[in-house]
Amino acid sequence: MPTLSGGDYTLVYNLFSFTFAAMLASFIFFVLSRSQVAPNYRNALTMSALVVAIAGYHYFRIFESWSAAYAINDAGQYVATGAPFNDAYRYIDWLLTVPLLVAELIAVMKLGKMSGMITFRLAAAAALMVILGYPGEIAADNGTRALWGAISTIPFVYIVYVLFRELGPAIARQTGQAQVLLRNIRLLLLATWGFYPIVYLLPILGVEPTSALVAVQVGYCIADVAAKCGYGVMIYAIAREKSIAEGYMLEAKPATAAGD
Amino acid sequence: MPTLSGGDYTLVYNLFSFTFAAMLASFIFFVLSRSQVAPNYRNALTMSALVVAIAGYHYFRIFESWSAAYAINDAGQYVATGAPFNDAYRYIDWLLTVPLLVAELIAVMKLGKMSGMITFRLAAAAALMVILGYPGEIAADNGTRALWGAISTIPFVYIVYVLFRELGPAIARQTGQAQVLLRNIRLLLLATWGFYPIVYLLPILGVEPTSALVAVQVGYCIADVAAKCGYGVMIYAIAREKSIAEGYMLEAKPATAAGD
């Protein structure tokens, strides 16, 4: 681990804390908002809650690992303590959460009989993408990083293909605002998931090691907040729109009209 | 405790963390999914939630115990600190969770009057199996390990006998998808519970101590995730199928029809 300036160290430290807080708040939001959508869509919100709970746990661990990996010296710089900064937490997190993210999209679409098979294919491709990226992340040389990065792009391309080609007709059948939101969430997924490989490639793109270390951590935090919290809020919005469209009662009835 | 390479130490460390995260996520899932099944089946989901809560607690402790038992040296190897790695956590965990796992299977089957007695016999056998395995796990010599391993197989064989012979007719009376799932969950229980003795026997099978230590921990983690989280998800699926078959309302009622 390279020596960091006070500014660099605390930037990463505070961003880890911010991301943990975002996951915690999102978790509470998704749990409490389950009752705001029709029972059919509660599974999707449950999955959103699982994703941010898993990520919150891992950000807590990442934060602790970062704190343990560095100690401040007399010059105000942060030097490595020898305790390793454990990058594996991110990958274990993604291994669990990325399949859930595609599963919740399918759950909120309510595709009927084809749901199970599409969910399985997307979740398997998502897990494969994460597994294939890991050897590159921990590799010492850029060639290995580039190689595994390229290989893990194959399942990513497959996911994009399924989302935009196979699911196109199903999205076109959705009505009103839900259709617009589904088109948008697909773009959000593409944009955020496409952001991870850019961060992954930073060490290769001639960025010097200290800046690359900081930039990778900052980048992954931003991507995780968008891809988990932001994405989950959109899943909620879709579930809410569909619940209202299907006539699910969310408003309080006047006391006189309620016959109980 | 033998000295471990960085790779071996972090493999076990990350797997403990992964297993904790899996238990945490499963706990949230089982608690939130209780409302998705008919009231008759909520007890089974409550038991699933208890199992993964107990296991999550113990994995947190095991993780801490593992961290405390080792310290990194200048060569990047992990050497024993002298703090003992506490294997008893697993057995305390199993003593509580294994009887619950058989109890939730009987709870989801809804056997009527015979439920109580079968649950008691299976839970007692499960507890006995765990208690009899422990002296072998902490034994220094392979002979003692093999002896207690063999003795604890007796209640395991009894459990298999009850599940496949006594419960066979009850499962045959279940209808549709629920029957298929019940047959599958019985196989999952047999496969995962049969995996524990294999892990238990690794130190006897001529595996050298360092590899055996790592392999036993990795093996138990995988078995626990399958036997607790995976099993619980199948219990949920069975409860969901039976709820739907019995006409439990999960769909939103149109606003006009909601006359309450």
Side-chain angles (χ1 to χ4, degrees):
Chain A
M1 306 284 287
T3 298
L4 296 181
S5 70
D8 278 348
Y9 174 82
T10 47
L11 172 65
V12 174
Y13 181 95
N14 286 321
L15 213 67
F16 285 158
S17 181
F18 160 80
T19 309
F20 174 79
M23 296 299 166
L24 178 69
S26 302
F27 175 72
I28 298 167
F29 176 75
F30 298 139
V31 169
L32 295 182
S33 299
R34 281 177 79 251
S35 58
Q36 303 294 103
V37 303
N40 258 340
Y41 300 109
R42 288 183 189 163
N43 254 354
L45 267 76
T46 299
M47 284 190 258
S48 292
L50 296 186
V51 164
V52 292
I54 294 166
Y57 164 72
H58 283 112
Y59 268 96
F60 182 82
R61 288 280 182 205
I62 290 170
F63 179 94
E64 297 289 309
S65 180
W66 182 254
S67 302
Y70 278 105
I72 194 164
N73 68 11
D74 293 340
Q77 289 178 312
Y78 285 81
V79 291
T81 57
F85 175 61
N86 187 8
D87 247 339
Y89 286 131
R90 288 201 183 284
Y91 278 79
I92 299 171
D93 175 78
W94 293 337
L95 190 60
L96 291 162
T97 57
V98 174
L100 279 168
L101 288 169
V102 288
E104 68 186 75
L105 180 60
I106 305 303
V108 88
M109 288 177 71
K110 285 283 160 214
L111 297 178
K113 277 193 181 155
M114 65 194 283
S115 273
M117 202 53 215
I118 288 199
T119 302
F120 175 79
R121 278 158 50 205
L122 285 174
L128 198 64
M129 177 178 78
V130 173
I131 291 166
L132 293 172
Y134 186 61
E137 186 74 76
I138 57 168
D141 67 296
N142 284 340
T144 313
R145 194 174 182 96
L147 176 70
W148 288 103
I151 295 173
S152 94
T153 304
I154 300 168
F156 177 57
V157 169
Y158 174 74
I159 292 167
V160 173
Y161 173 83
V162 172
L163 290 180
F164 283 80
R165 297 291 305 202
E166 282 194 48
L167 293 183
I171 290 178
R173 279 197 302 275
Q174 311 268 337
T175 52
Q177 191 59 17
Q179 189 190 104
V180 178
L181 287 168
L182 275 168
R183 288 189 193 284
N184 289 345
I185 200 172
R186 202 167 53 168
L187 293 175
L188 176 69
L189 191 149
L190 184 65
T192 52
W193 290 26
F195 190 65
Y196 289 97
I198 297 171
V199 176
Y200 185 95
L201 288 174
L202 284 177
I204 308 183
L205 303 172
V207 183
E208 55 97 15
T210 308
S211 306
L213 171 71
V214 173
V216 165
Q217 298 307 326
V218 170
Y220 281 151
C221 285
I222 295 169
D224 273 344
V225 170
K228 294 181 164 99
C229 309
Y231 182 88
V233 170
M234 279 191 79
I235 290 279
Y236 165 71
I238 294 166
R240 190 86 169 81
E241 284 298 332
K242 294 183 78 170
S243 299
I244 292 168
E246 290 164 18
Y248 179 68
M249 286 287 284
L250 288 152
E251 286 71 39
K253 285 172 288 180
T256 49
D260 55 334
Chain B
M1 305 286 286
T3 297
L4 296 180
S5 70
D8 279 347
Y9 173 83
T10 48
L11 173 65
V12 174
Y13 180 96
N14 284 320
L15 214 68
F16 286 158
S17 180
F18 161 81
T19 308
F20 175 80
M23 297 298 166
L24 176 72
S26 302
F27 175 72
I28 298 166
F29 177 75
F30 297 140
V31 169
L32 295 182
S33 298
R34 280 178 80 251
S35 59
Q36 302 292 103
V37 303
N40 257 341
Y41 300 109
R42 288 185 189 162
N43 253 355
L45 267 77
T46 300
M47 284 189 258
S48 293
L50 296 185
V51 165
V52 292
I54 295 166
Y57 163 72
H58 284 112
Y59 268 95
F60 182 81
R61 288 280 184 208
I62 290 170
F63 180 94
E64 297 290 312
S65 180
W66 182 255
S67 301
Y70 279 105
I72 193 166
N73 69 10
D74 292 340
Q77 288 178 312
Y78 284 82
V79 291
T81 56
F85 175 60
N86 186 7
D87 246 339
Y89 287 132
R90 287 200 186 285
Y91 279 79
I92 300 171
D93 175 79
W94 292 337
L95 191 59
L96 291 162
T97 56
V98 174
L100 279 168
L101 288 170
V102 287
E104 70 187 72
L105 179 60
I106 305 303
V108 87
M109 287 177 69
K110 285 282 158 216
L111 297 179
K113 277 189 183 161
M114 63 195 283
S115 272
M117 200 53 213
I118 288 201
T119 301
F120 175 78
R121 278 157 50 205
L122 284 173
L128 198 63
M129 176 179 80
V130 173
I131 291 167
L132 292 173
Y134 186 62
E137 185 76 76
I138 56 168
D141 66 296
N142 283 341
T144 314
R145 194 176 183 96
L147 176 70
W148 288 104
I151 295 173
S152 94
T153 304
I154 300 167
F156 176 57
V157 169
Y158 175 73
I159 292 167
V160 173
Y161 173 82
V162 172
L163 289 180
F164 283 79
R165 298 289 304 200
E166 284 195 46
L167 293 183
I171 289 177
R173 278 197 303 275
Q174 310 269 335
T175 52
Q177 191 60 18
Q179 190 191 102
V180 177
L181 287 168
L182 275 168
R183 289 191 191 283
N184 290 345
I185 199 172
R186 203 169 50 169
L187 292 176
L188 177 70
L189 191 148
L190 184 65
T192 53
W193 290 26
F195 190 65
Y196 290 97
I198 297 171
V199 176
Y200 185 94
L201 288 175
L202 284 177
I204 308 183
L205 302 174
V207 181
E208 56 97 16
T210 308
S211 306
L213 172 72
V214 173
V216 165
Q217 298 308 325
V218 170
Y220 281 151
C221 285
I222 294 168
D224 274 344
V225 170
K228 295 180 164 98
C229 309
Y231 181 87
V233 170
M234 277 191 80
I235 290 281
Y236 165 72
I238 293 166
R240 190 87 169 78
E241 284 296 333
K242 294 183 78 170
S243 300
I244 292 169
E246 290 163 17
Y248 178 68
M249 281 290 281
L250 288 154
E251 285 71 40
K253 286 172 286 183
T256 49
D260 57 334

